[in-house]
Amino acid sequence: VQLQASGGGLVQPGGSLRLSCFASERTFDSLHMGWFRQAPGKEREFIAGIAWTDSSAQYGDSVRGRFTASRDSVKSTLYLQMNNLKVEDTAVYYCAADHRQMYPHYSNYDWVNYWGQGTLVTVSS
């Protein structure tokens, strides 16, 4: 499975951005998907996990209520709509996929099999 993330860029605080992640895999519908981010000098952080079964999503504490994850099976694409962006949202954002569902508050996500290359989001005035 190859994942290609896009949509990052520079945005002002309070602004919005939508990230996309294309999955080059016909089994996209059977994969659980997730978004993560990593800021300079910080550990990787869980942002959102979305199930293939019913597209239900779970979010990390720092983004809940501001970010929305969704998936389009026809386009084999995962999205992350980010609203009310803050300076502390600045990071490289990664999409991920696995046959195991990704939930918040796992101790680590090293077991996730497929990762995209990352797209940089910079929130600055």
Side-chain angles (χ1 to χ4, degrees):
V1 178
Q2 292 186 333
L3 303 174
Q4 185 171 358
S6 61
L10 174 64
V11 62
Q12 293 186 341
S16 298
L17 210 57
R18 188 176 80 158
L19 305 182
S20 300
C21 175
F22 175 72
S24 59
E25 174 60 47
R26 291 184 177 180
T27 59
F28 175 80
D29 280 353
S30 65
L31 291 171
H32 299 292
M33 306 293 294
W35 286 103
F36 296 78
R37 69 185 181 190
Q38 188 164 20
K42 295 188 176 181
E43 294 186 352
R44 183 171 54 198
E45 179 185 6
F46 173 92
I47 297 301
I50 186 164
W52 72 265
T53 48
D54 59 1
S55 293
S56 60
Q58 308 219 6
Y59 299 92
D61 293 339
S62 63
V63 304
R64 189 176 297 113
R66 299 188 297 122
F67 291 11
T68 302
S70 62
R71 59 192 297 163
D72 185 331
S73 295
V74 173
K75 297 181 179 179
S76 295
T77 300
L78 173 73
Y79 299 101
L80 183 68
Q81 178 66 44
M82 305 184 294
N83 297 328
N84 190 22
L85 283 160
K86 304 176 181 180
V87 172
E88 51 265 40
D89 293 320
T90 295
V92 177
Y93 284 71
Y94 298 90
C95 56
D98 199 88
H99 292 285
R100 176 181 169 186
Q101 191 167 353
M102 289 164 261
Y103 290 101
H105 308 306
Y106 278 133
S107 58
N108 71 76
Y109 297 89
D110 296 341
W111 48 268
V112 176
N113 277 309
Y114 309 108
W115 294 89
Q117 85 286 3
T119 185
L120 176 62
V121 173
T122 303
V123 185
S124 175
S125 56

